[in-house]
Amino acid sequence: MNSAARIEAFLEMMSAERGAAENTLSSYRRDLEDASSEIDGGLAGAAAADIRAYLDDIAARGFAPTSQARKLSAIRQFFKFLYAEGLRADDPTGTLDSPKKGRPLPKTMSEADTGRLIDRAAQEAGDAGLGYSDRLAALRLHALVEVLYATGLRVSELVGLPVTVAQRDDRFFMVRGKGDKERMVPLSVKARTAMRAWLAARAGVPTFAESPFLFPAASDSGYLSRQVFARDLKGLAARAGIASAKISPHVLRHAFASHLLQNGADLRAVQQLLGHADISTTQIYTHVLEERLVRLVNDHHPLAD
């Protein structure tokens, strides 16, 4: 079995046994195929020295430590699989050190800028002077932005929402996230209102009638692509007077988490809402809690200046 066949076998295992999401599988495939193409003889037969040389090469090419660590993680998982299946007698990654990663703070938005963005989306959705297709797009974008900021969903979870979420008008709904795990997320009144307005407009589009998705599109997946939403969001930001380089769907997800913590939410509750399997992932927001504690002491301690 050559390297390509073993990579395919690994990906099949990740999908069937571990329920890895399509995005995760695509990332593993890119990283493993890249490593295999750079290592003489392919990845499956590589020695520790070959893998170390590959990691040194991608570092020299300017890959960030986070990207290097991700690639090494994929390679480690691959060799664990080969060893467990008896396809290798050893694991050459056992002696390799992970690249040193910093812990950069997530890009986020202020509450004021987030408010301006959402207000602009609402204003455009309510503009009776827009043509049919522009109004349809504005109503969809308003619903997307309201739901994203209300829930902190991953962008892949957001664009793939089932239409039943809007049809029920519930204050909570279940979303299936990474690793096929379900979690409950709340919906604000504003988000439910924006979804209902989009649902009413969506009902007037015959090609959307049979779609099970809230945000249908003529794509392979059947729903709006992440790239289209990201592009539309940047356009909305520019029209709201916010630098488009500062915003993405992921930035709005971070804003959801940061603003909750700034206003008193518990870190564990935010972990559950974001769908983080491990609290350590959520701890990138520790700086928000630290700022809140300093403010609490300064505002309420009797001896504070």
Side-chain angles (χ1 to χ4, degrees):
M1 192 186 291
N2 61 25
S3 287
R6 291 184 177 184
I7 289 171
E8 288 301 329
F10 166 72
L11 294 172
E12 286 175 14
M13 179 278 294
M14 291 296 291
S15 175
E17 295 181 19
R18 301 194 190 174
E22 198 60 43
N23 292 340
T24 303
L25 293 173
S26 296
S27 178
Y28 275 129
R29 181 183 296 279
R30 282 193 305 271
D31 289 340
L32 295 175
E33 288 180 350
D34 178 65
S36 196
S37 68
E38 295 292 331
I39 294 172
D40 289 340
L43 181 60
D50 298 321
I51 300 169
R52 188 175 288 110
Y54 168 70
L55 294 171
D56 289 344
D57 178 61
I58 62 173
R61 280 191 268 157
F63 280 83
T66 49
S67 297
Q68 297 173 45
R70 189 199 70 234
K71 288 175 180 291
L72 177 56
S73 174
I75 293 169
R76 284 192 201 280
Q77 293 283 342
F78 176 62
F79 280 108
K80 280 182 184 176
F81 164 74
L82 295 185
Y83 182 74
E85 294 293 312
L87 298 171
R88 282 257 329 205
D90 65 327
D91 179 354
T93 65
T95 59
L96 298 176
D97 294 328
S98 295
K100 299 298 182 191
K101 292 190 294 181
R103 291 189 63 82
L105 299 181
K107 285 204 311 189
T108 187
M109 296 175 67
S110 67
E111 290 186 41
D113 277 352
T114 306
R116 282 165 58 201
L117 185 79
I118 292 175
D119 287 348
R120 178 72 193 198
Q123 176 191 330
E124 292 181 2
D127 186 351
L130 291 177
Y132 175 75
S133 60
D134 287 342
R135 178 164 167 73
L136 198 67
L139 285 165
R140 182 181 70 184
L141 185 55
H142 182 217
L144 284 161
V145 171
E146 287 280 13
V147 173
L148 179 53
Y149 184 58
T151 61
L153 291 176
R154 297 178 179 91
V155 63
S156 56
E157 297 167 346
L158 173 68
V159 294
L161 281 175
V163 69
T164 49
V165 169
Q167 290 170 336
R168 285 196 298 264
D169 193 32
D170 291 336
R171 290 182 300 162
F172 295 88
F173 69 93
M174 302 299 294
V175 63
R176 193 176 298 278
K178 279 189 175 180
D180 215 29
K181 293 178 181 175
E182 281 194 329
R183 69 185 189 278
M184 186 168 65
V185 292
L187 268 176
S188 66
V189 172
K190 288 179 67 178
R192 298 205 308 276
T193 301
M195 279 203 306
R196 282 200 301 272
W198 161 243
L199 193 63
R202 177 189 179 283
V205 184
T207 55
F208 292 170
E210 301 302 318
S211 174
F213 300 110
L214 179 56
F215 303 107
S219 63
D220 291 342
S221 64
Y223 52 78
L224 184 72
S225 75
R226 295 174 299 155
Q227 293 81 2
V228 169
F229 174 42
R231 181 199 66 201
D232 291 349
L233 185 60
K234 285 183 179 294
L236 176 67
R239 296 191 298 276
I242 301 165
S244 58
K246 292 183 177 179
I247 188 164
S248 70
H250 206 57
V251 168
L252 260 186
R253 173 170 155 88
H254 284 315
F256 160 84
S258 296
H259 298 169
L260 279 177
L261 291 166
Q262 285 167 5
N263 287 283
D266 176 75
L267 193 66
R268 289 258 176 212
V270 172
Q271 175 197 357
Q272 292 176 340
L273 291 169
L274 291 174
H276 287 162
D278 194 318
I279 190 69
S280 64
T281 309
T282 321
Q283 283 170 345
I284 57 172
Y285 298 104
T286 302
H287 69 288
V288 178
L289 294 176
E290 290 169 352
E291 290 168 8
R292 198 175 84 196
L293 288 172
V294 169
R295 194 167 62 245
L296 181 72
V297 171
N298 287 341
D299 290 349
H300 299 288
H301 195 284
L303 300 181
D305 292 334

